[in-house]
Amino acid sequence: MKVLRTAWNTRWVYLAALVLTLAWGLAASTIAGWMTEFILGPFGGEADVEHALARLAEVVTHNPELGVGIGAGAVLTAAAAWLGWTLLGGAVFFAARGDALAQSARGAVQSAGPLAVQGIVHAVLTGLALLLVSVVFGPLPGVFRLLGLLVTTAVAVLARDLVRAQICLHGLDKPYHPRATVQGFVVAVKRPREIAITAGLWVLKMGLALVLVPLAARALGPSEASGWLRLMAGLGLAISFARLAWLTHWVPVELEPPASAPDDGAQTAET
């Protein structure tokens, strides 16, 4: 119940994030719809989504530069989403604490620098960890490789959230030092129960994300998929907010070494 009450505190931030997410998705679907209707439809002879996507695949096959442009756009969109969530995601923790929406936004802006630096360090360490797990588990059957990648991803997600919650809610003496993220991984590994919960929530969210792919494709044509698309996006965002609300209850954690106590000689000299 405490987690639900904490999650309820984030309702205004959730609504703001949902509006931004849906607006972003609407803009993307509108552009894709225009491509389908006014470019692929007339030249391909078919305006429905199935034939349009098949026609798009044919166009990309014969025009590789178009595929490069689409890929670059996808990468830039993902990078912009990561940057926005990294910089402003701290508002969720402030709202979970009970701050008003304006105060949460102000706190997120003030914490944006450390969150961005630690986010970059975390991305590098996560990439190295996934690469190492892929090499180590490479000779094993596929189910073990998948399990290893899932556990590694859950540890990485938990470590990232630990550092972000610590910076926003309890502060660090050296918020830009990469040691905080390294220690976040160490603390996360020592908490198997929290790893399991994070893995479950992450798998649920990724499952919804996979469902969004065919729904997004169907939403380009005449169908009722757009309503389900918005519902799935809202559920996925709610799962992320619930995970951060749950995390708020057991942070702070020790991400910096304790201050060294003065030695006996110094104390004797002072007396």
Side-chain angles (χ1 to χ4, degrees):
M1 293 301 295
K2 289 183 178 180
V3 174
L4 292 178
R5 286 195 294 268
T6 303
W8 179 250
N9 289 338
T10 66
R11 59 191 181 279
W12 300 116
V13 178
Y14 169 80
L15 290 176
L18 182 60
V19 169
L20 289 175
T21 301
L22 294 180
W24 190 308
L26 179 62
S29 63
T30 300
I31 295 174
W34 287 342
M35 289 179 59
T36 301
E37 183 176 357
F38 296 110
I39 299 178
L40 299 179
F43 288 99
E46 300 287 350
D48 61 278
V49 63
E50 287 82 5
H51 289 83
L53 290 177
R55 181 61 177 169
L56 176 60
E58 181 182 352
V59 172
V60 171
T61 300
H62 291 85
N63 300 274
E65 65 278 4
L66 179 60
V68 173
I70 294 175
V75 170
L76 289 176
T77 299
W82 176 87
L83 182 62
W85 182 248
T86 298
L87 294 178
L88 301 179
V92 180
F93 293 108
F94 292 108
R97 186 175 63 182
D99 294 359
L101 180 58
Q103 294 174 322
S104 300
R106 191 180 306 114
V109 172
Q110 293 172 349
S111 304
L115 290 177
V117 171
Q118 299 296 345
I120 293 173
V121 175
H122 178 271
V124 173
L125 292 179
T126 300
L128 293 176
L130 291 174
L131 177 62
L132 178 61
V133 170
S134 299
V135 172
V136 172
F137 285 72
L140 300 179
V143 63
F144 292 103
R145 294 198 301 268
L146 182 61
L147 183 60
L149 291 175
L150 173 60
V151 172
T152 304
T153 301
V155 171
V157 172
L158 182 59
R160 179 195 62 185
D161 292 341
L162 284 174
V163 176
R164 294 165 68 198
Q166 186 79 21
I167 291 174
C168 294
L169 300 179
H170 304 284
L172 291 171
D173 292 335
K174 297 179 179 179
Y176 292 96
H177 201 293
R179 179 176 53 205
T181 293
V182 174
Q183 187 64 17
F185 276 89
V186 173
V187 173
V189 169
K190 295 179 179 179
R191 294 177 176 267
R193 174 178 173 270
E194 282 73 19
I195 291 175
I197 295 175
T198 301
L201 293 173
W202 186 81
V203 167
L204 182 58
K205 179 183 176 181
M206 288 300 102
L208 290 174
L210 292 177
V211 173
L212 288 177
V213 176
L215 286 178
R218 289 181 58 84
L220 296 177
S223 71
E224 298 180 356
S226 57
W228 287 103
L229 191 64
R230 289 189 288 269
L231 176 61
M232 293 297 180
L235 287 176
L237 192 61
I239 292 172
S240 296
F241 273 58
R243 188 187 74 243
L244 299 181
W246 158 73
L247 193 75
T248 301
H249 285 284
W250 53 276
V251 171
V253 293
E254 187 59 61
L255 298 180
E256 291 178 321
S260 57
D263 55 18
D264 295 338
Q267 293 179 356
T268 303
E270 290 177 358
T271 56

